[in-house]
Short mmCIF file of all heavy atoms in Angstrom, two decimals:
data_model
loop_
_atom_site.label_atom_id
_atom_site.label_comp_id
_atom_site.label_asym_id
_atom_site.label_seq_id
_atom_site.Cartn_x
_atom_site.Cartn_y
_atom_site.Cartn_z
N MET L 1 75.68 -32.93 -142.19
CA MET L 1 74.47 -32.37 -141.86
C MET L 1 74.43 -30.87 -142.56
O MET L 1 73.45 -30.34 -142.85
CB MET L 1 74.46 -32.06 -140.30
CG MET L 1 73.33 -31.26 -139.79
SD MET L 1 71.88 -32.30 -139.56
CE MET L 1 70.88 -31.05 -138.81
N GLY L 2 75.64 -30.26 -142.71
CA GLY L 2 75.67 -28.95 -143.39
C GLY L 2 75.20 -28.91 -144.79
O GLY L 2 74.62 -27.93 -145.28
N GLU L 3 75.21 -30.10 -145.47
CA GLU L 3 74.70 -30.18 -146.73
C GLU L 3 73.22 -29.94 -146.76
O GLU L 3 72.73 -29.25 -147.62
CB GLU L 3 75.12 -31.54 -147.50
CG GLU L 3 74.41 -32.65 -146.84
CD GLU L 3 75.10 -34.00 -146.97
OE1 GLU L 3 76.19 -34.09 -146.41
OE2 GLU L 3 74.52 -34.88 -147.53
N LEU L 4 72.48 -30.62 -145.89
CA LEU L 4 71.05 -30.42 -145.80
C LEU L 4 70.69 -29.04 -145.48
O LEU L 4 69.70 -28.54 -146.09
CB LEU L 4 70.53 -31.39 -144.69
CG LEU L 4 69.02 -31.39 -144.55
CD1 LEU L 4 68.37 -31.76 -145.92
CD2 LEU L 4 68.57 -32.37 -143.47
N VAL L 5 71.38 -28.39 -144.54
CA VAL L 5 71.09 -26.99 -144.32
C VAL L 5 71.21 -26.13 -145.53
O VAL L 5 70.37 -25.22 -145.80
CB VAL L 5 71.97 -26.64 -143.05
CG1 VAL L 5 71.75 -25.02 -142.83
CG2 VAL L 5 71.60 -27.25 -141.90
N ASP L 6 72.38 -26.31 -146.17
CA ASP L 6 72.54 -25.50 -147.41
C ASP L 6 71.54 -25.69 -148.55
O ASP L 6 71.16 -24.81 -149.05
CB ASP L 6 74.00 -25.76 -148.03
CG ASP L 6 75.09 -25.26 -147.23
OD1 ASP L 6 74.79 -24.33 -146.36
OD2 ASP L 6 76.29 -25.64 -147.50
N LYS L 7 71.16 -26.91 -148.58
CA LYS L 7 70.04 -27.24 -149.63
C LYS L 7 68.74 -26.57 -149.29
O LYS L 7 68.09 -26.05 -150.15
CB LYS L 7 69.94 -28.73 -149.81
CG LYS L 7 71.00 -29.45 -150.50
CD LYS L 7 70.79 -30.91 -150.58
CE LYS L 7 71.95 -31.67 -151.27
NZ LYS L 7 71.77 -33.13 -151.39
N ILE L 8 68.36 -26.70 -147.96
CA ILE L 8 67.19 -26.07 -147.49
C ILE L 8 67.16 -24.51 -147.64
O ILE L 8 66.15 -23.92 -148.19
CB ILE L 8 66.88 -26.46 -146.03
CG1 ILE L 8 66.55 -27.89 -146.02
CG2 ILE L 8 65.70 -25.64 -145.49
CD1 ILE L 8 66.44 -28.51 -144.59
N LYS L 9 68.24 -23.91 -147.23
CA LYS L 9 68.50 -22.49 -147.41
C LYS L 9 68.33 -22.11 -148.94
O LYS L 9 67.78 -21.05 -149.26
CB LYS L 9 69.74 -21.96 -146.80
CG LYS L 9 69.77 -21.92 -145.33
CD LYS L 9 71.09 -21.41 -144.86
CE LYS L 9 71.22 -21.37 -143.41
NZ LYS L 9 72.59 -20.88 -142.89
N GLY L 10 69.00 -22.88 -149.67
CA GLY L 10 68.96 -22.61 -151.10
C GLY L 10 67.53 -22.70 -151.73
O GLY L 10 67.08 -21.85 -152.58
N ASN L 11 66.78 -23.70 -151.23
CA ASN L 11 65.37 -23.77 -151.79
C ASN L 11 64.55 -22.66 -151.31
O ASN L 11 63.77 -22.14 -152.15
CB ASN L 11 64.80 -25.11 -151.24
CG ASN L 11 65.29 -26.36 -151.98
OD1 ASN L 11 65.62 -26.23 -153.26
ND2 ASN L 11 65.20 -27.48 -151.35
N VAL L 12 64.79 -22.28 -150.07
CA VAL L 12 63.94 -21.04 -149.53
C VAL L 12 64.34 -19.78 -150.33
O VAL L 12 63.49 -19.06 -150.78
CB VAL L 12 64.14 -20.84 -148.05
CG1 VAL L 12 63.53 -19.49 -147.62
CG2 VAL L 12 63.61 -22.06 -147.28
N ASN L 13 65.56 -19.55 -150.46
CA ASN L 13 65.95 -18.34 -151.27
C ASN L 13 65.60 -18.36 -152.64
O ASN L 13 65.11 -17.32 -153.21
CB ASN L 13 67.53 -18.23 -151.19
CG ASN L 13 68.05 -17.46 -150.06
OD1 ASN L 13 67.42 -16.51 -149.52
ND2 ASN L 13 69.16 -17.83 -149.53
N GLU L 14 65.59 -19.56 -153.35
CA GLU L 14 65.11 -19.59 -154.67
C GLU L 14 63.68 -19.37 -154.82
O GLU L 14 63.19 -18.56 -155.72
CB GLU L 14 65.47 -21.05 -155.26
CG GLU L 14 65.19 -21.14 -156.78
CD GLU L 14 65.59 -22.34 -157.40
OE1 GLU L 14 66.31 -23.13 -156.68
OE2 GLU L 14 65.40 -22.58 -158.54
N ALA L 15 62.92 -19.85 -153.86
CA ALA L 15 61.42 -19.67 -153.90
C ALA L 15 61.08 -18.22 -153.60
O ALA L 15 60.18 -17.59 -154.28
CB ALA L 15 60.76 -20.54 -152.81
N VAL L 16 61.80 -17.56 -152.65
CA VAL L 16 61.49 -16.20 -152.32
C VAL L 16 61.90 -15.30 -153.51
O VAL L 16 61.21 -14.30 -153.87
CB VAL L 16 62.24 -15.74 -151.01
CG1 VAL L 16 62.14 -14.26 -150.89
CG2 VAL L 16 61.61 -16.40 -149.84
N GLY L 17 62.97 -15.59 -154.08
CA GLY L 17 63.47 -14.85 -155.33
C GLY L 17 62.47 -14.91 -156.44
O GLY L 17 62.15 -13.93 -157.09
N LYS L 18 61.90 -16.04 -156.72
CA LYS L 18 60.91 -16.28 -157.78
C LYS L 18 59.66 -15.46 -157.51
O LYS L 18 59.13 -14.85 -158.38
CB LYS L 18 60.54 -17.78 -157.95
CG LYS L 18 61.71 -18.49 -158.67
CD LYS L 18 61.21 -19.92 -158.84
CE LYS L 18 62.36 -20.73 -159.60
NZ LYS L 18 61.93 -22.14 -159.85
N ALA L 19 59.18 -15.36 -156.15
CA ALA L 19 58.10 -14.70 -155.75
C ALA L 19 58.37 -13.13 -155.93
O ALA L 19 57.49 -12.44 -156.47
CB ALA L 19 57.68 -14.95 -154.40
N LYS L 20 59.54 -12.69 -155.63
CA LYS L 20 59.94 -11.25 -155.81
C LYS L 20 59.83 -10.90 -157.23
O LYS L 20 59.57 -9.75 -157.64
CB LYS L 20 61.22 -10.99 -155.19
CG LYS L 20 61.17 -10.95 -153.69
CD LYS L 20 62.60 -10.51 -153.13
CE LYS L 20 62.67 -10.40 -151.68
NZ LYS L 20 64.05 -9.99 -151.18
N GLN L 21 60.19 -11.73 -158.14
CA GLN L 21 60.23 -11.44 -159.60
C GLN L 21 58.91 -11.20 -160.16
O GLN L 21 58.78 -10.62 -161.28
CB GLN L 21 60.97 -12.56 -160.31
CG GLN L 21 62.51 -12.57 -160.06
CD GLN L 21 63.19 -13.64 -160.77
OE1 GLN L 21 62.97 -13.87 -161.97
NE2 GLN L 21 64.02 -14.51 -160.14
N GLN L 22 57.84 -11.52 -159.43
CA GLN L 22 56.52 -11.32 -159.86
C GLN L 22 56.05 -9.88 -159.57
O GLN L 22 54.99 -9.49 -159.94
CB GLN L 22 55.52 -12.37 -159.26
CG GLN L 22 55.96 -13.76 -159.60
CD GLN L 22 56.03 -14.04 -161.06
OE1 GLN L 22 55.12 -13.63 -161.90
NE2 GLN L 22 57.13 -14.63 -161.39
N SER L 23 56.84 -9.12 -158.84
CA SER L 23 56.46 -7.73 -158.42
C SER L 23 56.46 -6.76 -159.65
O SER L 23 57.12 -6.99 -160.65
CB SER L 23 57.54 -7.24 -157.45
OG SER L 23 57.33 -5.89 -157.16
N ASN L 24 55.76 -5.73 -159.49
CA ASN L 24 55.74 -4.64 -160.46
C ASN L 24 56.85 -3.67 -160.37
O ASN L 24 57.13 -2.91 -161.20
CB ASN L 24 54.44 -3.85 -160.40
CG ASN L 24 53.26 -4.73 -160.83
OD1 ASN L 24 53.37 -5.56 -161.65
ND2 ASN L 24 52.09 -4.33 -160.27
N ASP L 25 57.61 -3.77 -159.24
CA ASP L 25 58.64 -2.85 -158.96
C ASP L 25 60.04 -3.44 -159.61
O ASP L 25 60.37 -4.51 -159.23
CB ASP L 25 58.84 -2.66 -157.41
CG ASP L 25 60.02 -1.74 -157.12
OD1 ASP L 25 60.38 -0.78 -157.86
OD2 ASP L 25 60.58 -1.92 -156.00
N PRO L 26 60.67 -2.70 -160.45
CA PRO L 26 61.85 -3.16 -161.15
C PRO L 26 62.93 -3.56 -160.16
O PRO L 26 63.73 -4.50 -160.32
CB PRO L 26 62.32 -2.06 -162.03
CG PRO L 26 61.10 -1.25 -162.26
CD PRO L 26 60.21 -1.34 -161.03
N GLU L 27 63.14 -2.72 -159.11
CA GLU L 27 64.21 -2.99 -158.12
C GLU L 27 63.83 -4.41 -157.41
O GLU L 27 64.85 -5.09 -157.18
CB GLU L 27 64.24 -1.88 -157.10
CG GLU L 27 65.39 -1.98 -156.12
CD GLU L 27 65.58 -0.67 -155.29
OE1 GLU L 27 65.24 0.46 -155.72
OE2 GLU L 27 65.89 -0.86 -154.12
N THR L 28 62.64 -4.50 -157.07
CA THR L 28 62.24 -5.80 -156.33
C THR L 28 62.49 -6.96 -157.30
O THR L 28 62.96 -8.05 -156.85
CB THR L 28 60.83 -5.70 -155.92
OG1 THR L 28 60.65 -4.62 -154.99
CG2 THR L 28 60.47 -7.00 -155.02
N ARG L 29 62.14 -6.85 -158.57
CA ARG L 29 62.37 -7.93 -159.46
C ARG L 29 63.90 -8.20 -159.65
O ARG L 29 64.34 -9.41 -159.64
CB ARG L 29 61.84 -7.60 -160.89
CG ARG L 29 60.43 -7.62 -160.97
CD ARG L 29 59.84 -7.74 -162.43
NE ARG L 29 60.27 -6.63 -163.21
CZ ARG L 29 59.64 -5.46 -163.48
NH1 ARG L 29 58.44 -5.32 -162.90
NH2 ARG L 29 60.06 -4.57 -164.19
N ALA L 30 64.81 -7.20 -159.66
CA ALA L 30 66.14 -7.40 -159.72
C ALA L 30 66.64 -8.12 -158.45
O ALA L 30 67.53 -9.03 -158.63
CB ALA L 30 66.86 -6.10 -159.97
N ASP L 31 66.21 -7.69 -157.31
CA ASP L 31 66.59 -8.30 -156.08
C ASP L 31 66.14 -9.75 -156.05
O ASP L 31 66.85 -10.63 -155.61
CB ASP L 31 65.97 -7.53 -154.92
CG ASP L 31 66.40 -8.13 -153.61
OD1 ASP L 31 67.57 -8.34 -153.37
OD2 ASP L 31 65.48 -8.22 -152.65
N GLY L 32 65.05 -10.09 -156.56
CA GLY L 32 64.56 -11.40 -156.68
C GLY L 32 65.32 -12.29 -157.56
O GLY L 32 65.61 -13.45 -157.16
N ALA L 33 65.81 -11.72 -158.63
CA ALA L 33 66.64 -12.54 -159.60
C ALA L 33 68.03 -12.90 -158.87
O ALA L 33 68.46 -14.00 -159.01
CB ALA L 33 66.95 -11.78 -160.88
N ALA L 34 68.47 -11.93 -158.19
CA ALA L 34 69.78 -12.12 -157.48
C ALA L 34 69.67 -13.04 -156.31
O ALA L 34 70.41 -14.01 -156.12
CB ALA L 34 70.29 -10.81 -156.82
N GLN L 35 68.46 -13.05 -155.66
CA GLN L 35 68.22 -14.03 -154.59
C GLN L 35 68.03 -15.41 -155.12
O GLN L 35 68.48 -16.36 -154.48
CB GLN L 35 67.01 -13.56 -153.76
CG GLN L 35 66.83 -14.33 -152.44
CD GLN L 35 65.89 -13.66 -151.45
OE1 GLN L 35 65.18 -12.67 -151.84
NE2 GLN L 35 65.66 -14.26 -150.33
N GLU L 36 67.34 -15.51 -156.21
CA GLU L 36 67.17 -16.76 -156.78
C GLU L 36 68.65 -17.48 -157.25
O GLU L 36 68.81 -18.61 -157.00
CB GLU L 36 66.26 -16.68 -158.04
CG GLU L 36 66.00 -18.10 -158.76
CD GLU L 36 65.15 -17.95 -159.92
OE1 GLU L 36 64.64 -16.89 -160.32
OE2 GLU L 36 64.93 -19.09 -160.55
N GLY L 37 69.38 -16.64 -157.69
CA GLY L 37 70.84 -17.07 -158.10
C GLY L 37 71.51 -17.49 -156.89
O GLY L 37 72.24 -18.58 -156.89
N LYS L 38 71.35 -16.77 -155.86
CA LYS L 38 72.05 -17.17 -154.50
C LYS L 38 71.54 -18.48 -154.06
O LYS L 38 72.29 -19.34 -153.53
CB LYS L 38 71.84 -15.99 -153.48
CG LYS L 38 72.47 -16.42 -152.14
CD LYS L 38 72.11 -15.30 -151.05
CE LYS L 38 72.58 -15.67 -149.73
NZ LYS L 38 72.23 -14.70 -148.70
N GLY L 39 70.18 -18.69 -154.16
CA GLY L 39 69.63 -20.00 -153.82
C GLY L 39 70.17 -21.13 -154.49
O GLY L 39 70.44 -22.23 -153.98
N LYS L 40 70.30 -20.93 -155.86
CA LYS L 40 70.93 -22.02 -156.69
C LYS L 40 72.38 -22.29 -156.34
O LYS L 40 72.67 -23.52 -156.30
CB LYS L 40 70.80 -21.59 -158.20
CG LYS L 40 69.33 -21.67 -158.65
CD LYS L 40 69.21 -21.30 -160.11
CE LYS L 40 67.77 -21.33 -160.62
NZ LYS L 40 67.63 -21.12 -162.00
N ALA L 41 73.09 -21.24 -156.00
CA ALA L 41 74.50 -21.53 -155.61
C ALA L 41 74.52 -22.23 -154.18
O ALA L 41 75.35 -23.07 -154.04
CB ALA L 41 75.16 -20.13 -155.43
N GLN L 42 73.62 -21.94 -153.33
CA GLN L 42 73.48 -22.61 -151.99
C GLN L 42 73.25 -24.07 -152.19
O GLN L 42 73.79 -24.88 -151.61
CB GLN L 42 72.56 -21.94 -151.06
CG GLN L 42 72.98 -20.60 -150.40
CD GLN L 42 71.95 -20.01 -149.59
OE1 GLN L 42 70.75 -20.04 -149.88
NE2 GLN L 42 72.35 -19.48 -148.48
N GLN L 43 72.31 -24.32 -153.08
CA GLN L 43 71.92 -25.75 -153.37
C GLN L 43 73.20 -26.48 -153.87
O GLN L 43 73.42 -27.64 -153.51
CB GLN L 43 70.81 -25.86 -154.32
CG GLN L 43 69.48 -25.34 -153.72
CD GLN L 43 68.42 -25.28 -154.80
OE1 GLN L 43 68.56 -25.69 -155.93
NE2 GLN L 43 67.21 -24.92 -154.31
N LEU L 44 73.87 -25.87 -154.80
CA LEU L 44 75.04 -26.52 -155.40
C LEU L 44 76.16 -26.71 -154.33
O LEU L 44 76.66 -27.78 -154.30
CB LEU L 44 75.61 -25.64 -156.52
CG LEU L 44 76.86 -26.21 -157.24
CD1 LEU L 44 76.54 -27.50 -157.91
CD2 LEU L 44 77.44 -25.23 -158.20
N GLY L 45 76.33 -25.76 -153.54
CA GLY L 45 77.22 -26.03 -152.31
C GLY L 45 76.78 -27.10 -151.46
O GLY L 45 77.64 -27.86 -151.06
N GLY L 46 75.47 -27.27 -151.25
CA GLY L 46 75.09 -28.40 -150.47
C GLY L 46 75.36 -29.75 -151.14
O GLY L 46 75.77 -30.75 -150.51
N LYS L 47 75.19 -29.79 -152.41
CA LYS L 47 75.44 -31.01 -153.18
C LYS L 47 76.95 -31.33 -153.13
O LYS L 47 77.29 -32.56 -152.92
CB LYS L 47 74.96 -30.86 -154.61
CG LYS L 47 73.52 -30.86 -154.79
CD LYS L 47 73.13 -30.73 -156.27
CE LYS L 47 71.58 -30.63 -156.37
NZ LYS L 47 71.16 -30.38 -157.71
N ILE L 48 77.83 -30.28 -153.30
CA ILE L 48 79.22 -30.59 -153.13
C ILE L 48 79.63 -31.08 -151.88
O ILE L 48 80.38 -32.01 -151.64
CB ILE L 48 79.93 -29.30 -153.60
CG1 ILE L 48 79.73 -28.96 -155.15
CG2 ILE L 48 81.47 -29.43 -153.30
CD1 ILE L 48 80.24 -27.64 -155.56
N LYS L 49 79.07 -30.39 -150.70
CA LYS L 49 79.44 -30.89 -149.41
C LYS L 49 78.99 -32.32 -149.19
O LYS L 49 79.65 -33.14 -148.57
CB LYS L 49 78.66 -29.99 -148.45
CG LYS L 49 79.35 -28.69 -148.09
CD LYS L 49 78.70 -28.00 -147.04
CE LYS L 49 79.25 -26.56 -146.66
NZ LYS L 49 78.55 -25.88 -145.67
N GLY L 50 77.86 -32.64 -149.83
CA GLY L 50 77.32 -34.05 -149.55
C GLY L 50 78.26 -34.98 -150.35
O GLY L 50 78.57 -35.99 -149.86
N ALA L 51 78.72 -34.59 -151.44
CA ALA L 51 79.55 -35.55 -152.18
C ALA L 51 81.00 -35.68 -151.53
O ALA L 51 81.56 -36.74 -151.57
CB ALA L 51 79.81 -35.01 -153.68
N LEU L 52 81.39 -34.71 -150.85
CA LEU L 52 82.71 -34.67 -150.26
C LEU L 52 82.67 -34.99 -148.68
O LEU L 52 83.71 -35.11 -148.11
CB LEU L 52 83.40 -33.31 -150.39
CG LEU L 52 83.65 -32.96 -151.77
CD1 LEU L 52 84.45 -31.51 -151.78
CD2 LEU L 52 84.61 -33.92 -152.50
N GLY L 53 81.52 -35.12 -148.20
CA GLY L 53 81.32 -35.60 -146.77
C GLY L 53 81.51 -34.55 -145.73
O GLY L 53 82.19 -34.81 -144.73
N ASP L 54 81.17 -33.34 -146.04
CA ASP L 54 81.27 -32.24 -145.08
C ASP L 54 82.66 -31.89 -144.61
O ASP L 54 82.83 -31.29 -143.59
CB ASP L 54 80.45 -32.56 -143.80
CG ASP L 54 78.87 -32.29 -143.98
OD1 ASP L 54 78.59 -31.34 -144.81
OD2 ASP L 54 78.11 -32.74 -143.20
N ASP L 55 83.62 -32.50 -145.26
CA ASP L 55 85.06 -32.19 -144.78
C ASP L 55 85.53 -30.79 -145.44
O ASP L 55 86.68 -30.49 -145.09
CB ASP L 55 85.93 -33.33 -145.36
CG ASP L 55 85.63 -34.61 -144.61
OD1 ASP L 55 85.17 -34.47 -143.41
OD2 ASP L 55 85.92 -35.63 -145.05
N ILE L 56 84.70 -30.12 -146.09
CA ILE L 56 85.25 -28.86 -146.70
C ILE L 56 84.78 -27.74 -145.88
O ILE L 56 83.93 -27.85 -145.07
CB ILE L 56 84.75 -28.68 -148.19
CG1 ILE L 56 83.22 -28.77 -148.28
CG2 ILE L 56 85.34 -29.75 -149.09
CD1 ILE L 56 82.65 -28.27 -149.62
#
């Protein structure tokens, strides 16, 4: 079950990060890029948990 939660959180963070990158504020764009990267990492973590069966 943890894998699904990680994948969902990752998708949300990635989407919010992409939206922030459309801002005119450079600081907000940088924050958005970081948040998008975090989302991708969470998705990867979810995939790994799924492959290993939540035992990690």
Side-chain angles (χ1 to χ4, degrees):
M1 174 89 175
E3 69 206 62
L4 181 60
V5 172
D6 284 347
K7 288 180 183 179
I8 291 170
K9 285 181 182 180
N11 284 333
V12 170
N13 273 324
E14 188 173 354
V16 171
K18 285 181 180 182
K20 284 182 179 180
Q21 290 181 46
Q22 302 304 313
S23 171
N24 290 330
D25 180 28
E27 188 174 321
T28 303
R29 284 196 307 263
D31 184 44
Q35 190 167 2
E36 182 180 358
K38 178 182 176 183
K40 288 181 180 183
Q42 284 176 319
Q43 289 174 3
L44 179 61
K47 288 179 184 178
I48 292 170
K49 280 184 181 179
L52 296 178
D54 279 337
D55 290 334
I56 58 170

